[in-house]
Amino acid sequence: MGIRDKLAKTLDRTGILNVVLKNRRGSDQLTVLTYHRVNELPSDYPYDADVVDATPSQFEEQLRFLQEHHHVVGLDDLRRFCDGEPLPPRATLITFDDGYRDNHDVAMPMLQRFGMSAVFFIATRYIDERRLYWWDKINYLVNSATTTHVSLDYPVPLRFELPRERAEALSTFVILMKEMRGLDTERFLSEVAEAVGVPWSRDIEREHADALLMNWDDLRAMKAGGMDIQSHSHNHQPLHTMLPEALDSDLRLAKSL
């Protein structure tokens, strides 16, 4: 269980979170609930399980709580607030990041059943090119490794023994993606695949992406179903690691698709 899960369980068990949410009354305050996925995963799930924020039953319970104690708002309400209109008491915005398929298959029908909408921020490259999110790709490659000695020279020399140092390898690769400025992410991820001995190609990646991610038809259906679709960058590379020209191009491209 990760730190986020432990904290959430502690807040739920003590009732602190409910007290805070129920007693927040100001009309100039907004609670933003951010999700990535709503799903129930098998124990042998090979991708990044930490992006699942709630099971379907937990999400239903959370929506019921919001229906009873909060006013769920949308972007139109926020635009009116920016023009001077007040927010309703206990205004809450529900958001989802990235673009996972269970946003369409699981979360949207539940939101509709409660008469609510959410804002879905989409990393457009992965939808458009059928790519696997880099954190899921790292987890899949390391968890599927066929070698016991992992050796990389880019971007720095790295050596790991698997399975003993699997957690350390995962953590190191993710930190490099999140923190190293100017990292050639395609080269790095390709070298990870080679180092762990896992076959990888565009066709293989497309199969993984089709199983995990929404497509443009799903997004159009969500828009038609009352959900709001917005940009979450194009490459979903941490923005502080990108060189200025690459950052400008990435944000513009995401908005153009």
Side-chain angles (χ1 to χ4, degrees):
M1 181 185 296
I3 294 176
R4 181 176 60 186
D5 292 330
K6 292 179 180 178
L7 177 60
K9 288 183 180 296
T10 300
L11 291 173
D12 182 56
R13 185 175 62 252
T14 60
I16 293 174
L17 187 58
N18 283 357
V19 171
V20 171
L21 292 175
K22 287 181 181 179
N23 287 284
R24 190 184 55 76
R25 299 180 180 277
S27 61
D28 61 345
Q29 299 177 28
L30 176 70
T31 295
V32 179
L33 299 180
T34 299
Y35 297 87
H36 298 81
R37 302 190 62 186
V38 175
N39 212 320
E40 192 109 40
L41 301 181
S43 58
D44 59 348
Y45 187 72
Y47 309 104
D48 186 356
D50 285 341
V51 293
V52 175
D53 300 291
T55 65
S57 61
Q58 290 170 338
F59 190 56
E60 181 178 20
E61 183 178 351
Q62 292 160 13
L63 294 182
R64 185 172 291 110
F65 176 89
L66 292 175
Q67 187 179 61
E68 294 175 358
H69 302 288
H70 283 241
H71 288 88
V72 175
V73 300
L75 290 187
D76 288 342
D77 299 289
L78 297 188
R79 294 185 183 103
R80 287 191 288 269
F81 173 70
C82 291
D83 290 335
E85 294 187 21
L87 289 169
R90 301 192 185 103
T92 300
L93 181 71
I94 302 172
T95 72
F96 280 79
D97 285 352
D98 302 330
Y100 285 98
R101 179 173 294 280
D102 52 41
N103 292 185
H104 171 277
D105 296 349
V106 181
M108 181 175 69
M110 297 177 71
L111 287 163
Q112 291 173 325
R113 181 153 53 85
F114 281 88
M116 299 175 183
S117 64
V119 186
F120 294 81
F121 294 99
I122 307 302
T124 52
R125 181 194 184 195
Y126 301 87
I127 304 298
D128 197 52
E129 298 181 13
R130 310 315 292 161
R131 297 270 185 174
L132 191 63
Y133 296 127
W134 60 260
W135 53 94
D136 282 320
K137 183 174 179 179
I138 287 173
N139 274 265
Y140 177 81
L141 292 173
V142 174
N143 288 330
S144 305
T146 62
T147 60
T148 56
H149 304 282
V150 176
S151 177
L152 287 88
D153 293 319
Y154 178 83
V156 293
L158 295 168
R159 305 290 183 269
F160 299 101
E161 296 295 322
L162 301 183
R164 179 172 57 87
E165 295 180 313
R166 177 175 286 120
E168 183 180 349
L170 284 169
S171 176
T172 301
F173 296 157
V174 169
I175 289 172
L176 285 171
M177 285 292 298
K178 286 185 173 181
E179 301 298 336
M180 179 161 281
R181 185 170 172 81
L183 178 70
D184 184 337
T185 58
E186 289 299 313
R187 175 184 174 184
F188 173 60
L189 293 173
S190 294
E191 294 198 10
V192 169
E194 183 176 353
V196 298
V198 176
W200 198 257
S201 68
R202 285 293 296 119
D203 288 339
I204 292 173
E205 185 166 18
R206 188 173 293 107
E207 290 181 8
H208 287 279
D210 286 343
L212 281 182
L213 278 59
M214 288 187 283
N215 56 39
W216 290 118
D217 286 339
D218 295 328
L219 290 167
R220 281 187 281 269
M222 295 185 75
K223 183 71 173 178
M227 305 298 124
D228 205 313
I229 310 299
Q230 297 292 328
S231 165
H232 194 46
S233 81
H234 185 60
N235 283 293
H236 204 304
Q237 187 173 342
L239 301 185
H240 66 279
T241 70
M242 300 177 70
L243 301 177
E245 60 273 15
L247 174 59
D248 181 74
S249 174
D250 184 278
L251 297 180
R252 290 179 184 276
L253 181 56
K255 294 292 288 186
S256 70
L257 293 175

